[in-house]
Amino acid sequence: MASMEIANAVERLHQVFERRPGAGMHDDSSATARWMDGLHVVIAHANGHEVATDMPTEFGGPNDGTLPSPGWLFRAGMASCLATCIVINAARQGIELTTLQVSAHSRSDTRGVLGMPDANGQPVQAQPFECRLAVRIAARDASAATVRELVEASRRSSPIPQAAQNALVVNLDIDVSES
């Protein structure tokens, strides 16, 4: 029943945006990070929900495993966003999913975080240089080709993976306060 509710809600949105395309434009809810101590940071949503991060001992963090790193939240956002888009598109197409798991994996060079150069003296980039999304999926009464196209189409319409893939422009505003 949840799939039908999703399909109906998305269809209503689709109809609104066909009539008024500008209604699709909006400011996303902000995420505000607040430094606590050490490398412990708490990120707050406008609705009050909070998520905390910390770093491993190599960076001076506690490495107690209770808090994720900011990089893990990035990968979690990509995996969750793609999974959500797959569910939405499956509901719109009347595909009944029986299994869905999305994992996001990346490779990074930690020297970039430290502003270090590579062997040629060029700055090592701080962002992950490789990312892989792995989808395990099964659906009732849908061919493998149909399910594959569902996943590929969902990836093309998934905001977080698309932002990473298409090099989102990130502007920076700095407000220096007196202590």
Side-chain angles (χ1 to χ4, degrees):
M1 193 58 168
S3 289
M4 186 58 99
E5 291 170 6
I6 293 168
N8 289 339
V10 172
E11 182 56 31
R12 283 190 301 274
L13 275 175
H14 192 269
Q15 290 174 3
V16 168
F17 298 152
E18 277 185 333
R19 287 190 311 271
R20 296 188 337 246
M25 297 296 297
H26 61 88
D27 290 335
D28 298 322
S29 56
S30 63
T32 302
R34 188 175 70 255
W35 171 64
M36 303 307 285
D37 63 6
L39 296 172
H40 181 200
V41 173
V42 173
I43 305 102
H45 186 280
N47 69 8
H49 183 77
E50 294 184 339
V51 176
T53 64
D54 216 326
M55 294 293 284
T57 54
E58 294 85 2
F59 282 95
N63 195 28
D64 62 6
T66 59
L67 297 176
S69 70
W72 183 87
L73 286 180
F74 172 74
R75 291 184 298 282
M78 289 209 312
S80 177
C81 190
L82 179 54
T84 300
C85 285
I86 291 169
V87 170
I88 288 170
N89 289 327
R92 289 183 74 197
Q93 295 175 33
I95 297 173
E96 184 182 345
L97 298 178
T98 58
T99 300
L100 177 59
Q101 178 179 308
V102 179
S103 301
H105 309 268
S106 64
R107 282 188 60 76
S108 301
D109 187 334
T110 304
R111 295 176 300 168
V113 174
L114 302 176
M116 297 175 67
D118 64 15
N120 299 321
Q122 296 300 310
V124 173
Q125 296 300 306
Q127 80 271 15
F129 56 86
E130 179 180 85
C131 183
R132 179 173 50 86
L133 294 168
V135 178
R136 191 168 72 89
I137 187 169
R140 199 176 321 282
D141 300 325
S143 71
T146 298
V147 173
R148 246 180 237 298
E149 177 51 35
L150 165 70
V151 173
E152 290 171 2
S154 297
R155 179 180 180 225
R156 289 189 299 270
S157 66
S158 187
I160 305 303
Q162 285 298 303
Q165 184 172 340
N166 296 321
L168 170 71
V169 174
V170 179
N171 297 307
L172 177 65
D173 297 325
I174 301 172
D175 178 9
V176 178
S177 304
E178 291 188 33
S179 345

